[in-house]
Amino acid sequence: MTNHALANPFLDQLSYCLLNHQGQIIDCSRKTAGLFGSSPEDLQGHSIVDVLRITSEIPATFEGMLSQANATGELRFEAEYSPAEGSACHFEATLTPCRIAEGQDEGALLQIWDVTHHKQLERKLRERKELFSSTFYQAAVGMVHVNMSDARFLGANNTICEMLGYTEEEFCSKTIMDVTHPDDILSDLDNTKRMIDGEINMFSIEKRLLRKDGSSVWTRLTAASVSRDEQGHAKYGMAVVEDITQIKEAQDALKESEERFKTLADSAPVLIFMTDTNANHLYVNKNYLNYTGLTYSDLLGTQWQNRIHPEDREEYLSRMASACQHQESLRAEVRINRNDGQYGWVLVSVVPRYTATGLFMGFVGSGIDITDKKLLEESLEKAKVTAEDLNRRKSEFLSMMSHELRTPLNSIIGYSSIIQNNMAGPLNDNQSKFIQNVVYSGKHLLNLVNDLLDLSKVEAGKMKITVSQFDLPVLVQDVQSMLNDLAHRKNITLTFSIQPGITTVQADPERFKQILINLITNGIKFNRPGGEVRVRLFKRDDDAWLIGQVQDSGIGIPKSKFANLFGKFYQVDTSPARSNEGSGLGLALTKELIELHGGTIEVDSEEGVGTTFTFRLPTVQTVVVKGTHNDAVRNSSR
Ligand code: ADP
């Protein structure tokens, strides 16, 4: 190995290498050797093509390299050196043919520069460029670059190409105007001009772009300038484009549905309003404005509250405040001052409204004018009071009259009975017949008066029953002996049957007797000679009910008359030719008496076959010892 012949502090700072004609290193500067982590001495004799890995496209052999260098004066190339440890170094080199010493074959001078750092920068730059490029092309929103001087596109990413149906090449042959809907061309002109002039750097706009097939797409476009010339004018710009067709369609649908709602609300013959969470009006329909005569701005404030009648205002507002607090519905009847200055009754109902996520937003309310209904109610109430008053006075009159009539009647019956019984002297046949008629008619009249008195008591709510425990067979015996004579005279067979085991019964005995007499008398009256009336008394439903049945074989009652049968003064046969006397009060009173006991009565009948009245009384009644327990006495509530 020869010495580092060119050792020299100055030369060692340079980057060179002397090569013989075979490309072997004759000598090199220390700086160059240092690039390979070596010394000039150690490198001597090594072939340069072994030390370096040449990356440029040049001849692979040193001989070839030398001949190419000879042809052009020098040969520039790039190479790499990979040390045993650490990362590769990159070099740029220039090979210049030269003869090292007289008589020797031509060698070469190799100048070499470490460009590793530069290469790394270059790589980073390339990577960033690729990153930017793929961000641009792969972005989920449309992106374009524009030359601001002629509005022509310089680049367009995949999203916008797909959105509008162009290839990038086709896109770049277009200008902004080419792809803008004709109706929207003017919409961003002003902003674009201001951006070019440097007044603004970016702006956003919604506009329609045209697809290649001529259809349009709604977009939100954000444009920005990306570089400016010395005068500050935008040279290049970029735009981010989002397809908002669906949003626009949804907005249009919403707008349409709002319009529809508004038309509907305005044409509805009711007052409609919408409030916030504090009951402040946010919306009112036309009818609301017409009704109150207020303007929209009045209603959006608190003016509407003054339209409520002073007597209703405080209560309504406090109920409304509570509805707000508890997010509750509310119904109220309030008087509202109308545009004609009069107060109208309005039925207001509000219901809470919520967002889709359940957030309380306030109320939707409606109001209906119920003034007519209120007036009707008032006049009905007045009429009711008047009718009740009249009814009460009628009952009082009847009661008074009945009392007045009973006294002389009793006297007539009493004295005529004395005469009838020959207690005032003997009577001839005619006299006896006539006095018998007087007694009979007097008794009939007394019955009528008694019925009238009872009914007037019921109507006045003063009829009371006094329940006690009595012996049923004894009471029935009593009834039988009272009616036997009548049955006999009418040639009717009257039979009674009581379910064995029934002895005592709880009821008002006088009224119970009256019920039986009324029903049996009818059975006899509306019968035919030779007919029969059967009375049955038994218990049902575990002895909970006492059932009474009065069945006759009489003329029957048409089913169409059933509904009115228990009405006052009702008679099925009202013809003057009817053979039976009566007042039409018996069944009405019987029903009242049964109901006062907590019972019911029903009728079944077939014309020409007969009629059955069935009444049911609860067997357990409040037992009242006469005159002591008035509170527990059953009272007519009507
Ligand atoms: P009154 O017998 O005094 O006319 P009621 O109220 O007792 O009044 O009866 C009303 C009407 O019902 C009678 O007029 C009669 O037409 C009809 N009616 C009542 N009971 C019978 C019956 N058992 N058979 C046929 N009709 C009857």
Side-chain angles (χ1 to χ4, degrees):
M1 184 181 293
T2 42
N3 284 334
H4 175 39
L6 297 175
N8 173 306
F10 171 70
L11 290 177
D12 271 340
Q13 294 305 311
L14 300 176
S15 300
Y16 70 90
C17 216
L18 286 177
L19 306 172
N20 67 14
H21 67 284
Q22 289 170 321
Q24 288 164 327
I25 297 170
I26 298 167
D27 202 356
C28 68
S29 66
R30 287 216 178 271
K31 186 176 179 187
T32 304
L35 294 176
F36 305 121
S38 187
S39 64
E41 292 81 2
D42 285 348
L43 284 176
Q44 282 172 7
H46 287 279
S47 167
I48 192 69
V49 291
D50 291 340
V51 174
L52 288 176
R53 192 175 76 79
I54 294 165
T55 54
S56 297
E57 288 200 1
I58 55 169
T61 61
F62 183 72
E63 204 182 352
M65 287 166 69
L66 201 57
S67 96
Q68 193 163 328
N70 267 321
T72 52
E74 63 178 23
L75 175 66
R76 283 176 180 274
F77 64 89
E78 290 182 8
E80 270 178 19
Y81 169 72
S82 301
E85 283 176 9
S87 50
C89 303
H90 299 270
F91 303 105
E92 266 181 20
T94 307
L95 188 75
T96 314
C98 66
R99 204 171 295 277
I100 307 296
E102 224 21 67
Q104 280 190 7
D105 287 336
E106 190 179 51
L109 173 69
L110 181 72
Q111 284 174 285
I112 192 160
W113 298 275
D114 185 348
V115 292
T116 308
H117 182 63
H118 174 75
K119 279 278 174 191
Q120 278 169 351
L121 281 180
E122 217 175 52
R123 201 190 70 236
K124 275 189 187 159
L125 209 65
R126 199 173 53 246
E127 278 173 3
R128 283 191 66 177
K129 212 174 142 193
E130 279 167 8
L131 190 70
F132 276 115
S133 169
S134 71
T135 306
F136 177 81
Y137 280 104
Q138 306 304 324
V141 287
M143 291 174 96
V144 288
H145 283 136
V146 185
N147 187 345
M148 297 309 285
S149 62
D150 58 1
R152 200 165 287 282
F153 294 108
L154 298 170
N157 77 348
N158 301 345
T159 303
I160 193 144
C161 286
E162 270 171 33
M163 197 188 296
L164 301 188
Y166 291 112
T167 62
E168 189 183 11
E169 200 184 344
E170 286 169 333
F171 213 100
C172 290
S173 68
K174 307 265 171 215
T175 65
I176 294 175
M177 281 72 78
D178 292 337
V179 297
T180 301
H181 191 285
D183 293 348
D184 297 342
I185 283 186
L186 297 179
S187 62
D188 57 352
L189 218 58
D190 184 48
N191 276 326
T192 309
K193 191 174 168 315
R194 289 174 65 210
M195 195 174 83
I196 291 175
D197 292 348
E199 282 177 46
I200 52 172
N201 258 331
M202 62 184 293
F203 65 88
S204 257
I205 190 172
E206 285 181 4
K207 71 173 190 176
R208 279 161 295 177
L209 296 183
L210 290 176
R211 290 199 186 92
K212 190 177 173 182
D213 63 10
S215 62
S216 60
V217 49
W218 268 106
T219 63
R220 182 176 297 114
L221 187 146
T222 305
S225 68
V226 285
S227 78
R228 296 189 176 278
D229 61 17
E230 293 90 49
Q231 285 81 45
H233 292 130
K235 265 167 57 183
Y236 302 114
M238 69 161 299
V240 175
V241 184
E242 287 169 88
D243 182 343
I244 56 162
T245 310
Q246 280 184 347
I247 298 173
K248 274 277 176 191
E249 278 170 5
Q251 279 173 348
D252 285 351
L254 193 70
K255 215 169 135 197
E256 199 198 326
S257 112
E258 267 180 10
E259 281 298 320
R260 214 179 313 137
F261 161 76
K262 215 171 153 299
T263 317
L264 218 99
D266 279 344
S267 56
V270 288
L271 321 183
I272 296 175
F273 57 97
M274 209 156 78
T275 78
D276 63 12
T277 51
N278 294 316
N280 299 315
H281 287 66
L282 298 174
Y283 165 83
V284 296
N285 74 339
K286 245 188 202 150
N287 239 316
Y288 200 128
L289 297 176
N290 293 344
Y291 191 84
T292 55
L294 291 172
T295 63
Y296 211 88
S297 52
D298 288 336
L299 279 162
L300 298 183
T302 52
Q303 275 291 315
W304 62 274
Q305 298 179 358
N306 299 332
R307 290 288 162 142
I308 303 173
H309 194 288
E311 286 173 18
D312 302 343
R313 195 179 303 149
E314 200 179 323
E315 191 195 335
Y316 178 74
L317 293 180
S318 102
R319 286 185 64 194
M320 200 62 218
S322 157
C324 288
Q325 198 188 345
H326 301 105
Q327 304 177 13
E328 280 172 352
S329 299
L330 166 73
R331 266 171 89 85
E333 291 181 358
V334 280
R335 280 164 288 178
I336 305 262
N337 198 206
R338 299 189 304 224
N339 63 356
D340 61 1
Q342 302 290 312
Y343 278 99
W345 275 102
V346 177
L347 170 66
V348 182
S349 69
V350 298
V351 284
R353 61 191 183 93
Y354 300 93
T355 60
T357 54
L359 192 71
F360 175 55
M361 295 293 284
F363 294 95
V364 179
S366 64
I368 307 170
D369 185 296
I370 52 164
T371 313
D372 289 346
K373 186 182 143 243
K374 276 278 176 186
L375 290 176
L376 194 73
E377 272 173 14
E378 272 170 28
S379 61
L380 277 177
E381 184 58 31
K382 271 188 201 151
K384 194 175 154 229
V385 170
T386 314
E388 278 172 359
D389 189 44
L390 275 175
N391 206 28
R392 189 179 43 78
R393 282 201 268 170
K394 182 200 77 185
S395 298
E396 279 169 9
F397 170 75
L398 281 176
S399 165
M400 192 260 295
M401 280 304 290
S402 309
H403 274 294
E404 292 301 312
L405 285 169
R406 273 211 298 189
T407 317
L409 259 177
N410 278 328
S411 161
I412 292 168
I413 295 166
Y415 284 117
S416 47
S417 295
I418 290 172
I419 296 169
Q420 189 188 19
N421 293 328
N422 295 322
M423 285 160 73
L427 301 174
N428 62 30
D429 282 355
N430 267 348
Q431 284 170 331
S432 173
K433 211 167 108 193
F434 294 153
I435 202 73
Q436 191 184 338
N437 276 342
V438 172
V439 173
Y440 179 77
S441 299
K443 282 186 178 169
H444 179 67
L445 204 56
L446 185 62
N447 280 341
L448 182 63
V449 169
N450 281 338
D451 281 358
L452 266 178
L453 184 62
D454 281 348
L455 263 177
S456 62
K457 271 191 195 161
V458 168
E459 286 187 346
K462 288 180 184 162
M463 172 65 100
K464 290 169 188 168
I465 58 162
T466 311
V467 176
S468 64
Q469 194 138 329
F470 59 86
D471 191 317
L472 186 66
V474 171
L475 185 137
V476 167
Q477 185 71 51
D478 213 9
V479 171
Q480 190 169 11
S481 57
M482 283 170 76
L483 296 175
N484 262 345
D485 187 41
L486 178 68
H488 182 70
R489 269 190 280 123
K490 294 266 184 178
N491 191 18
I492 304 293
T493 313
L494 176 60
T495 56
F496 288 84
S497 79
I498 303 175
Q499 184 184 340
I502 302 181
T503 49
T504 55
V505 160
Q506 281 180 14
D508 181 325
E510 286 311 311
R511 298 306 184 188
F512 190 87
K513 201 187 280 180
Q514 200 176 347
I515 293 166
L516 283 180
I517 291 171
N518 281 351
L519 294 176
I520 298 168
T521 309
N522 279 349
I524 297 171
K525 266 188 344 185
F526 302 103
N527 219 318
R528 303 184 183 117
E532 60 175 328
V533 175
R534 288 184 192 181
V535 182
R536 283 191 213 97
L537 291 156
F538 53 93
K539 285 185 178 173
R540 280 283 176 276
D541 303 335
D542 289 339
D543 295 349
W545 295 91
L546 174 70
I547 318 287
Q549 247 175 12
V550 179
Q551 185 184 18
D552 65 58
S553 56
I555 57 172
I557 303 167
K559 294 220 170 0
S560 61
K561 308 285 182 182
F562 282 8
N564 299 319
L565 201 60
F566 296 96
K568 276 166 270 175
F569 303 106
Y570 183 79
Q571 291 178 316
V572 174
D573 181 4
T574 49
S575 67
R578 74 195 158 94
S579 52
N580 289 302
E581 58 206 2
S583 60
L585 288 173
L587 284 181
L589 189 58
T590 301
K591 184 169 181 278
E592 294 288 353
L593 293 176
I594 289 169
E595 286 175 357
L596 274 173
H597 280 85
T600 56
I601 180 165
E602 56 197 44
V603 62
D604 191 20
S605 184
E606 203 173 321
E607 283 181 86
V609 176
T611 304
T612 305
F613 282 95
T614 307
F615 66 88
R616 297 155 57 88
L617 301 184
T619 50
V620 179
Q621 296 276 341
T622 315
V623 180
V624 178
V625 180
K626 266 191 180 173
T628 57
H629 242 245
N630 277 342
D631 286 350
V633 167
R634 273 187 197 277
N635 222 337
S636 164
S637 56
R638 294 183 303 146

